[in-house]
PDB file of all heavy atoms in Angstrom:
ATOM      1  N   PHE T1148     -14.462   4.521   7.710  1.00  0.00           N
ATOM      2  CA  PHE T1148     -13.896   5.854   7.519  1.00  0.00           C
ATOM      3  C   PHE T1148     -13.986   6.591   8.855  1.00  0.00           C
ATOM      4  O   PHE T1148     -15.051   6.634   9.459  1.00  0.00           O
ATOM      5  CB  PHE T1148     -14.694   6.652   6.479  1.00  0.00           C
ATOM      6  CG  PHE T1148     -14.304   6.358   5.068  1.00  0.00           C
ATOM      7  CD1 PHE T1148     -15.072   5.521   4.278  1.00  0.00           C
ATOM      8  CD2 PHE T1148     -13.163   6.928   4.528  1.00  0.00           C
ATOM      9  CE1 PHE T1148     -14.708   5.253   2.972  1.00  0.00           C
ATOM     10  CE2 PHE T1148     -12.792   6.669   3.220  1.00  0.00           C
ATOM     11  CZ  PHE T1148     -13.567   5.823   2.437  1.00  0.00           C
ATOM     12  N   LEU T1149     -12.861   7.166   9.264  1.00  0.00           N
ATOM     13  CA  LEU T1149     -12.863   7.935  10.514  1.00  0.00           C
ATOM     14  C   LEU T1149     -12.555   9.384  10.195  1.00  0.00           C
ATOM     15  O   LEU T1149     -11.661   9.688   9.412  1.00  0.00           O
ATOM     16  CB  LEU T1149     -11.777   7.419  11.467  1.00  0.00           C
ATOM     17  CG  LEU T1149     -11.783   5.941  11.838  1.00  0.00           C
ATOM     18  CD1 LEU T1149     -10.634   5.646  12.788  1.00  0.00           C
ATOM     19  CD2 LEU T1149     -13.112   5.559  12.464  1.00  0.00           C
ATOM     20  N   SER T1150     -13.304  10.280  10.838  1.00  0.00           N
ATOM     21  CA  SER T1150     -12.902  11.680  10.772  1.00  0.00           C
ATOM     22  C   SER T1150     -12.593  12.131  12.192  1.00  0.00           C
ATOM     23  O   SER T1150     -13.000  11.499  13.169  1.00  0.00           O
ATOM     24  CB  SER T1150     -13.980  12.528  10.106  1.00  0.00           C
ATOM     25  OG  SER T1150     -15.214  12.314  10.721  1.00  0.00           O
ATOM     26  N   ALA T1151     -11.837  13.236  12.286  1.00  0.00           N
ATOM     27  CA  ALA T1151     -11.428  13.737  13.591  1.00  0.00           C
ATOM     28  C   ALA T1151     -12.669  14.010  14.444  1.00  0.00           C
ATOM     29  O   ALA T1151     -13.695  14.413  13.916  1.00  0.00           O
ATOM     30  CB  ALA T1151     -10.616  15.023  13.400  1.00  0.00           C
ATOM     31  N   PRO T1152     -12.611  13.764  15.746  1.00  0.00           N
ATOM     32  CA  PRO T1152     -11.438  13.349  16.511  1.00  0.00           C
ATOM     33  C   PRO T1152     -11.341  11.845  16.755  1.00  0.00           C
ATOM     34  O   PRO T1152     -10.638  11.429  17.672  1.00  0.00           O
ATOM     35  CB  PRO T1152     -11.677  14.057  17.848  1.00  0.00           C
ATOM     36  CG  PRO T1152     -13.167  13.982  18.025  1.00  0.00           C
ATOM     37  CD  PRO T1152     -13.769  14.055  16.636  1.00  0.00           C
ATOM     38  N   ALA T1153     -12.027  11.028  15.915  1.00  0.00           N
ATOM     39  CA  ALA T1153     -12.025   9.591  16.191  1.00  0.00           C
ATOM     40  C   ALA T1153     -10.615   8.972  16.192  1.00  0.00           C
ATOM     41  O   ALA T1153     -10.284   8.229  17.131  1.00  0.00           O
ATOM     42  CB  ALA T1153     -12.945   8.863  15.208  1.00  0.00           C
ATOM     43  N   PRO T1154      -9.753   9.252  15.198  1.00  0.00           N
ATOM     44  CA  PRO T1154      -8.421   8.628  15.249  1.00  0.00           C
ATOM     45  C   PRO T1154      -7.634   9.063  16.481  1.00  0.00           C
ATOM     46  O   PRO T1154      -6.959   8.227  17.110  1.00  0.00           O
ATOM     47  CB  PRO T1154      -7.742   9.131  13.967  1.00  0.00           C
ATOM     48  CG  PRO T1154      -8.847   9.549  13.066  1.00  0.00           C
ATOM     49  CD  PRO T1154      -9.940  10.043  13.968  1.00  0.00           C
ATOM     50  N   GLU T1155      -7.742  10.339  16.844  1.00  0.00           N
ATOM     51  CA  GLU T1155      -7.027  10.838  18.031  1.00  0.00           C
ATOM     52  C   GLU T1155      -7.510  10.105  19.292  1.00  0.00           C
ATOM     53  O   GLU T1155      -6.704   9.725  20.149  1.00  0.00           O
ATOM     54  CB  GLU T1155      -7.266  12.350  18.177  1.00  0.00           C
ATOM     55  CG  GLU T1155      -6.624  13.199  17.085  1.00  0.00           C
ATOM     56  CD  GLU T1155      -7.470  13.327  15.821  1.00  0.00           C
ATOM     57  OE1 GLU T1155      -8.424  12.547  15.627  1.00  0.00           O
ATOM     58  OE2 GLU T1155      -7.157  14.218  15.005  1.00  0.00           O
ATOM     59  N   MET T1156      -8.810   9.911  19.395  1.00  0.00           N
ATOM     60  CA  MET T1156      -9.361   9.189  20.556  1.00  0.00           C
ATOM     61  C   MET T1156      -8.855   7.758  20.585  1.00  0.00           C
ATOM     62  O   MET T1156      -8.484   7.236  21.644  1.00  0.00           O
ATOM     63  CB  MET T1156     -10.900   9.213  20.491  1.00  0.00           C
ATOM     64  CG  MET T1156     -11.502  10.581  20.755  1.00  0.00           C
ATOM     65  SD  MET T1156     -13.289  10.642  20.422  1.00  0.00           S
ATOM     66  CE  MET T1156     -13.928   9.585  21.708  1.00  0.00           C
ATOM     67  N   LEU T1157      -8.832   7.106  19.425  1.00  0.00           N
ATOM     68  CA  LEU T1157      -8.400   5.706  19.368  1.00  0.00           C
ATOM     69  C   LEU T1157      -6.940   5.565  19.788  1.00  0.00           C
ATOM     70  O   LEU T1157      -6.576   4.619  20.499  1.00  0.00           O
ATOM     71  CB  LEU T1157      -8.592   5.156  17.948  1.00  0.00           C
ATOM     72  CG  LEU T1157     -10.046   4.931  17.538  1.00  0.00           C
ATOM     73  CD1 LEU T1157     -10.138   4.610  16.049  1.00  0.00           C
ATOM     74  CD2 LEU T1157     -10.656   3.796  18.352  1.00  0.00           C
ATOM     75  N   ILE T1158      -6.112   6.509  19.356  1.00  0.00           N
ATOM     76  CA  ILE T1158      -4.689   6.420  19.719  1.00  0.00           C
ATOM     77  C   ILE T1158      -4.526   6.569  21.235  1.00  0.00           C
ATOM     78  O   ILE T1158      -3.800   5.795  21.861  1.00  0.00           O
ATOM     79  CB  ILE T1158      -3.877   7.478  18.950  1.00  0.00           C
ATOM     80  CG1 ILE T1158      -3.773   7.062  17.472  1.00  0.00           C
ATOM     81  CG2 ILE T1158      -2.479   7.640  19.547  1.00  0.00           C
ATOM     82  CD1 ILE T1158      -3.218   8.134  16.573  1.00  0.00           C
ATOM     83  N   LEU T1159      -5.232   7.524  21.822  1.00  0.00           N
ATOM     84  CA  LEU T1159      -5.140   7.694  23.279  1.00  0.00           C
ATOM     85  C   LEU T1159      -5.619   6.434  24.005  1.00  0.00           C
ATOM     86  O   LEU T1159      -4.997   5.978  24.965  1.00  0.00           O
ATOM     87  CB  LEU T1159      -5.966   8.912  23.722  1.00  0.00           C
ATOM     88  CG  LEU T1159      -5.367  10.275  23.339  1.00  0.00           C
ATOM     89  CD1 LEU T1159      -6.384  11.393  23.566  1.00  0.00           C
ATOM     90  CD2 LEU T1159      -4.092  10.548  24.143  1.00  0.00           C
ATOM     91  N   LEU T1160      -6.706   5.842  23.523  1.00  0.00           N
ATOM     92  CA  LEU T1160      -7.259   4.657  24.186  1.00  0.00           C
ATOM     93  C   LEU T1160      -6.398   3.427  23.982  1.00  0.00           C
ATOM     94  O   LEU T1160      -6.479   2.476  24.765  1.00  0.00           O
ATOM     95  CB  LEU T1160      -8.680   4.377  23.668  1.00  0.00           C
ATOM     96  CG  LEU T1160      -9.750   5.374  24.084  1.00  0.00           C
ATOM     97  CD1 LEU T1160     -11.082   5.023  23.415  1.00  0.00           C
ATOM     98  CD2 LEU T1160      -9.920   5.406  25.600  1.00  0.00           C
ATOM     99  N   SER T1161      -5.574   3.425  22.940  1.00  0.00           N
ATOM    100  CA  SER T1161      -4.712   2.257  22.737  1.00  0.00           C
ATOM    101  C   SER T1161      -3.463   2.348  23.608  1.00  0.00           C
ATOM    102  O   SER T1161      -2.820   1.336  23.888  1.00  0.00           O
ATOM    103  CB  SER T1161      -4.326   2.131  21.267  1.00  0.00           C
ATOM    104  OG  SER T1161      -3.477   3.205  20.906  1.00  0.00           O
ATOM    105  N   GLU T1162      -3.129   3.581  24.045  1.00  0.00           N
ATOM    106  CA  GLU T1162      -1.959   3.725  24.918  1.00  0.00           C
ATOM    107  C   GLU T1162      -2.254   3.159  26.292  1.00  0.00           C
ATOM    108  O   GLU T1162      -1.411   2.516  26.906  1.00  0.00           O
ATOM    109  CB  GLU T1162      -1.563   5.210  25.008  1.00  0.00           C
ATOM    110  CG  GLU T1162      -0.922   5.711  23.717  1.00  0.00           C
ATOM    111  CD  GLU T1162      -0.833   7.223  23.638  1.00  0.00           C
ATOM    112  OE1 GLU T1162      -1.250   7.909  24.606  1.00  0.00           O
ATOM    113  OE2 GLU T1162      -0.355   7.722  22.608  1.00  0.00           O
ATOM    114  N   ALA T1163      -3.444   3.408  26.787  1.00  0.00           N
ATOM    115  CA  ALA T1163      -3.862   2.850  28.080  1.00  0.00           C
ATOM    116  C   ALA T1163      -5.373   2.928  28.159  1.00  0.00           C
ATOM    117  O   ALA T1163      -5.962   3.883  27.663  1.00  0.00           O
ATOM    118  CB  ALA T1163      -3.241   3.653  29.222  1.00  0.00           C
ATOM    119  N   PRO T1164      -6.001   1.913  28.772  1.00  0.00           N
ATOM    120  CA  PRO T1164      -7.448   2.009  28.975  1.00  0.00           C
ATOM    121  C   PRO T1164      -7.749   3.213  29.870  1.00  0.00           C
ATOM    122  O   PRO T1164      -7.000   3.482  30.810  1.00  0.00           O
ATOM    123  CB  PRO T1164      -7.802   0.706  29.691  1.00  0.00           C
ATOM    124  CG  PRO T1164      -6.649  -0.206  29.461  1.00  0.00           C
ATOM    125  CD  PRO T1164      -5.448   0.663  29.319  1.00  0.00           C
ATOM    126  N   MET T1165      -8.794   3.942  29.569  1.00  0.00           N
ATOM    127  CA  MET T1165      -9.134   5.094  30.407  1.00  0.00           C
ATOM    128  C   MET T1165     -10.627   5.363  30.351  1.00  0.00           C
ATOM    129  O   MET T1165     -11.348   4.865  29.495  1.00  0.00           O
ATOM    130  CB  MET T1165      -8.335   6.327  29.984  1.00  0.00           C
ATOM    131  CG  MET T1165      -8.562   6.783  28.567  1.00  0.00           C
ATOM    132  SD  MET T1165      -7.511   8.201  28.124  1.00  0.00           S
ATOM    133  CE  MET T1165      -5.957   7.420  27.724  1.00  0.00           C
ATOM    134  N   SER T1166     -11.051   6.169  31.322  1.00  0.00           N
ATOM    135  CA  SER T1166     -12.465   6.524  31.396  1.00  0.00           C
ATOM    136  C   SER T1166     -12.746   7.644  30.401  1.00  0.00           C
ATOM    137  O   SER T1166     -11.829   8.289  29.883  1.00  0.00           O
ATOM    138  CB  SER T1166     -12.809   6.988  32.807  1.00  0.00           C
ATOM    139  OG  SER T1166     -12.077   8.175  33.084  1.00  0.00           O
ATOM    140  N   ALA T1167     -14.027   7.911  30.183  1.00  0.00           N
ATOM    141  CA  ALA T1167     -14.414   8.994  29.269  1.00  0.00           C
ATOM    142  C   ALA T1167     -13.881  10.333  29.782  1.00  0.00           C
ATOM    143  O   ALA T1167     -13.428  11.168  28.992  1.00  0.00           O
ATOM    144  CB  ALA T1167     -15.930   9.028  29.119  1.00  0.00           C
TER     145      ALA T1167
END
Side-chain angles (χ1 to χ4, degrees):
Chain T
F1148 277 101
L1149 305 180
S1150 52
E1155 292 85 344
M1156 290 171 68
L1157 289 171
I1158 288 170
L1159 288 168
L1160 290 176
S1161 68
E1162 287 166 1
M1165 60 183 81
S1166 64

